[in-house]
Amino acid sequence: TMAIGSLVASNKLIAANAAIPVMAAISVNAISKVIAAAASGGKTFALNVMPSLILQIAALWLGWILF
C-alpha cells in the first residue's frame, strides 16, 4: 500500500485507480492473518479469528461495489 501511495503522490497513478490495488493488498493481508492465527493458535483459534476478517473484507469490497 505504501508503494501505491507513492505512485499516487508522484502523479504516476490516479487515486481512483489506486483503490483496487489497495483493497487487494488489504484482502491478502487478511488471508495472511488467518494463516498466522492457524500457525500460532491452531485450528480453533483460526476459526475464531476468521469470521471477523471475512466480515471486514466483505464490507470493504461491498462498499466499493455499491459506492
Side-chain angles (χ1 to χ4, degrees):
T1 56
M2 291 297 293
I4 298 165
S6 296
L7 290 172
V8 172
S10 65
N11 293 323
K12 294 181 180 177
L13 181 65
I14 299 169
N17 293 340
I20 290 180
V22 169
M23 292 189 308
I26 292 169
S27 299
V28 170
N29 184 277
I31 293 168
S32 70
K33 288 179 184 181
V34 171
I35 294 169
S40 65
K43 181 180 178 180
T44 305
F45 182 60
L47 290 174
N48 286 331
V49 170
M50 201 177 323
S52 63
L53 292 172
I54 290 171
L55 182 63
Q56 173 189 8
I57 298 307
L60 175 73
W61 285 99
L62 187 62
W64 172 255
I65 291 168
L66 294 177
F67 300 105

